[in-house]
Amino acid sequence: MEYVSRVPRPPLDGLIDDLYYLEGAPPYARLTLPPMPAALLIVNLGAP
């Protein structure tokens, strides 16, 4: 099991830099997801 990073396709690539997700089978049946990386949204509204 590993974290995978992907860049979304247009038109979302202008808004989203990358997406992370877990891929693969868990090493044991009762694995709970670790708290990090967490969902994070950063909005850039441009120059002040």
Side-chain angles (χ1 to χ4, degrees), residues 2 4-6 13-14 18 20 23-25 27 29 32 34-35 37 39 44-46 48:
E2 65 180 301
V4 178
S5 173
R6 297 276 190 247
D13 64 340
D18 53 21
Y20 288 91
E23 182 174 77
T32 57
N44 182 354
L45 300 177

Side-chain angles (χ1 to χ4, degrees), residues 41-45:
L41 173 64
I42 300 173
V43 179
N44 182 354
L45 300 177

Side-chain angles (χ1 to χ4, degrees), residues 2-34:
E2 65 180 301
Y3 284 102
V4 178
S5 173
R6 297 276 190 247
V7 176
R9 290 184 281 184
L12 292 178
D13 64 340
L15 303 171
I16 300 172
D17 290 329
D18 53 21
L19 301 169
Y20 288 91
Y21 62 92
L22 282 173
E23 182 174 77
Y28 50 93
R30 294 182 180 229
L31 176 70
T32 57
L33 294 177

